[in-house]
Amino acid sequence: LQIELTLVNMTNHISKNAPAMHMESFYKKFSTVSNQKFDGLLITGAPIEHLEFEEVNYWNELKEIFSWTQTNVHSTMAVCWGAMAMMNFFHQLPKYPLKKKAFGCFEHFNLSPDHKFLRGFADRVTIPVSRWSEIRESDLKQKKDLEILLSSTDLGPCLIDDKYHNAVYMINHLEYDTLTLKNEYFRDKSL
């Protein structure tokens, strides 16, 4: 497949974790791509779970992006805080703070092995987790458009399909590589 990747960041947000030159060289502001159409969009998380959604300085633009996905993006995947934010926007689902950080690798169960996103997945899969908040299964089950695909006995829902909004939400971190949790542990310890 030929893939053309466009990296996008918030129009007025200044990243604290990446040099300005890097952001200017590789990323486009959302305002410059908002008239384009995309096959897919990945909305990443951010270590801002302690903030209410409305306290995030780019919340209004992010809500605009969420709306924009319905007309300009074929399929969207949102990860971690981005997933919680998108579910809050489309379904008014709250995020709940955890008493301590959910951190480590945890067993998750494949609840829908015939689903298009999980064909070929094992019945049980170990997934890295690193978050200070959660979305609760009891809230998700009240939303008929949402289907929990992966869940952990210890930590609850992980992968949620939103058929109506053509989106999938990953609360945990399948994308983490071997050293990501280790690096986050040392980052958190230094704070």
Side-chain angles (χ1 to χ4, degrees), residues 5-191:
L5 182 66
T6 303
L7 300 173
V8 178
N9 66 341
M10 300 291 116
T11 301
N12 295 313
H13 179 70
I14 298 171
S15 176
K16 295 176 186 171
N17 300 317
M21 186 65 133
H22 173 83
M23 298 303 290
E24 290 171 21
S25 297
F26 296 103
Y27 286 75
K28 296 181 179 182
K29 299 292 185 188
F30 173 68
S31 57
T32 67
V33 300
S34 61
N35 62 342
Q36 296 179 33
K37 305 260 186 207
F38 292 88
D39 293 324
L41 178 69
L42 177 64
I43 297 173
T44 62
I48 53 176
E49 294 171 282
H50 61 285
L51 296 175
E52 295 298 325
F53 295 119
E54 297 78 15
E55 294 175 24
V56 175
N57 65 5
Y58 51 83
W59 180 243
N60 287 332
E61 185 175 22
L62 192 56
K63 292 190 304 184
E64 181 183 344
I65 292 170
F66 293 155
S67 292
W68 171 84
T69 65
Q70 300 306 285
T71 55
N72 289 59
V73 179
H74 178 69
S75 184
T76 303
M77 180 177 197
V79 179
C80 197
W81 182 88
M84 293 180 196
M86 199 166 177
M87 284 190 282
N88 177 266
F89 177 75
F90 283 129
H91 300 283
Q92 297 72 52
L93 287 174
K95 66 178 173 67
Y96 299 93
L98 297 171
K99 291 180 180 168
K100 66 178 191 167
K101 186 173 188 178
F103 188 82
C105 293
F106 294 86
E107 182 177 61
H108 289 69
F109 296 92
N110 182 344
L111 304 179
S112 190
D114 294 329
H115 192 281
K116 65 182 178 180
F117 294 135
L118 294 179
R119 269 186 240 128
F121 261 63
D123 291 339
R124 297 174 181 198
V125 59
T126 301
I127 299 174
V129 177
S130 178
R131 57 183 163 83
W132 283 99
S133 57
E134 68 180 349
I135 298 290
R136 294 190 177 150
E137 181 177 346
S138 57
D139 292 340
L140 287 165
K141 288 191 171 185
Q142 294 179 26
K143 306 293 180 178
K144 64 180 182 216
D145 295 329
L146 298 177
E147 179 184 0
I148 302 170
L149 304 177
L150 289 173
S151 189
S152 164
T153 305
D154 299 318
L155 297 170
C158 171
L159 184 68
I160 299 106
D161 185 21
D162 183 348
K163 293 177 183 79
Y164 184 78
H165 295 101
N166 209 20
V168 63
Y169 309 116
M170 169 58 72
I171 302 298
N172 298 324
H173 294 282
L174 279 173
E175 80 281 7
Y176 276 13
D177 65 20
T178 307
L179 298 176
T180 306
L181 279 177
K182 176 185 174 187
N183 293 338
E184 283 195 11
Y185 171 78
F186 287 116
R187 178 200 69 197
D188 289 354
K189 237 183 131 163
S190 70
L191 297 176

